[in-house]
Amino acid sequence: MANALNPILLSAHNPSPMTGAGNNTYLLVAEDGSATLIDAGVGAPQHLADLASALDARHARLDSVLVTHGHRDHASGAPAVAGAHAAAVFAKRPWAKEDAQYGVRWRAIDEGDAVAAGGESLIVLHTPGHSPDHLAFWHEPSRTIFTGDLVVEGSSVMIHTSGGGNLVEYLASLERLLALDPRVLLPAHGPTIDDPARTLTGYLRHRLMRERQVVDALCAGHHSVQAITESIYHGLAPALVRAAQENVRAHLEKLKAEGLATTTIDEAGEWRLS
Ligand SMILES: [Zn+2]
């Protein structure tokens, strides 16, 4: 089939409450045996073994690793992959605060670059919001996007404002994906998304609903992140409270950026509608 990518899904074998069943990494192999891995995983022995046997089975060699963003579950496996595949080049969008810890030399890629992968060309999209360095990779002929942590089917994506996340940017990135009219999204967590328009509009609608809830909570006299969170998320498991608070904080920062909420500067971090 012309313009077929045929990505090979390789689990990073790192299941956890935050990563679900574990990260998805994708191997793309060209007819000439050159191969590209999308996301490095965490260096789990089983991931490295699966990668080696997938390459062996196709008489292929790993030439490059494209990393969607600098979070540990996507990037921390880079040194282990480099150790097993010395010729591989590692590429991501620079994020100075995070990149050095991973101990490989990163080649910088950015918005609009075309990168070779699996005998095809992928267009690099800078899609910040989940993290400042977040990239998606767009294969126009098959209308496929490797979406990293922008969407997870059946779940929502964390926006850590304290860790460089930004909800305004995130929503713009979702709108951008939607405007490309993709046919399939290949996320770093969860199953393949075969109905991108439905999933993306569902995400956007869900965020609008949350924003309305945050505004309602402010109107009802809740002014701390904790109180707003408690008023929105009822009966939340203790393990999820921090994640919910990060979400609320992300919405408050968005309202502030839009001039709709202000915060006092004291330690209590009180938020009010302007
Ligand atoms: Zn992430």
Side-chain angles (χ1 to χ4, degrees):
M1 196 171 102
N3 298 321
L5 267 185
N6 299 319
I8 300 156
L9 171 63
L10 299 176
S11 169
H13 292 284
N14 59 328
S16 80
M18 288 310 290
T19 62
N23 284 53
N24 302 325
T25 73
Y26 298 95
L27 184 65
L28 307 173
V29 182
E31 271 177 24
D32 67 3
S34 102
T36 294
L37 183 67
I38 296 185
D39 274 347
V42 299
Q46 191 60 54
H47 184 222
L48 296 170
D50 292 350
L51 174 59
S53 57
L55 291 167
D56 284 349
R58 292 161 186 83
H59 307 289
R61 66 189 180 277
L62 190 65
D63 285 334
S64 61
V65 180
L66 307 176
V67 170
T68 56
H69 64 297
H71 287 161
R72 295 197 62 79
D73 54 325
H74 304 257
S76 68
V81 175
H85 305 276
V89 170
F90 291 77
K92 72 185 289 299
R93 188 175 195 275
W95 185 7
K97 191 164 100 36
E98 301 292 332
D99 292 345
Q101 67 180 300
Y102 299 124
V104 295
R105 182 137 45 119
W106 296 104
R107 174 181 293 178
I109 50 174
D110 207 342
E111 171 67 29
D113 290 345
V115 290
E120 295 284 316
S121 183
L122 303 179
I123 302 300
V124 177
L125 310 175
H126 182 214
T127 48
H130 171 72
S131 66
D133 62 336
H134 197 286
L135 300 178
F137 302 107
W138 166 229
H139 184 244
E140 205 273 334
S142 65
R143 311 203 77 73
T144 300
I145 314 178
F146 296 89
T147 48
D149 277 358
L150 291 174
V151 277
V152 183
E153 188 74 76
S155 175
S156 77
V157 163
M158 284 295 301
I159 307 298
H160 286 274
T161 51
S162 51
N166 180 308
L167 186 56
V168 177
E169 292 178 350
Y170 175 68
L171 295 177
S173 291
L174 293 184
E175 295 276 12
R176 189 170 177 208
L177 296 190
L178 191 58
L180 288 170
D181 190 23
R183 190 179 301 146
V184 60
L185 307 182
L186 296 176
H189 302 276
T192 297
I193 295 167
D194 293 315
D195 191 347
R198 204 192 62 172
T199 300
L200 291 167
T201 51
Y203 259 60
L204 290 162
R205 219 178 296 128
H206 174 79
R207 290 291 176 169
L208 273 180
M209 183 267 293
R210 277 277 180 261
E211 180 166 306
R212 235 171 280 129
Q213 290 177 323
V214 170
V215 170
D216 287 349
L218 287 165
C219 290
H222 303 291
H223 296 292
S224 70
V225 170
Q226 189 186 343
I228 295 166
T229 306
E230 281 167 8
S231 79
I232 295 174
Y233 299 84
H234 303 288
L236 199 60
L240 299 176
V241 167
R242 265 194 57 193
Q245 289 180 349
E246 280 286 351
N247 244 338
V248 166
R249 209 184 306 274
H251 279 283
L252 289 166
E253 292 287 352
K254 175 176 182 286
L255 291 168
K256 184 178 161 191
E258 293 166 344
L260 298 174
T262 55
T263 178
T264 59
I265 310 156
D266 65 9
E267 278 294 291
E270 296 266 284
W271 290 83
R272 312 205 172 260
L273 287 177
S274 31

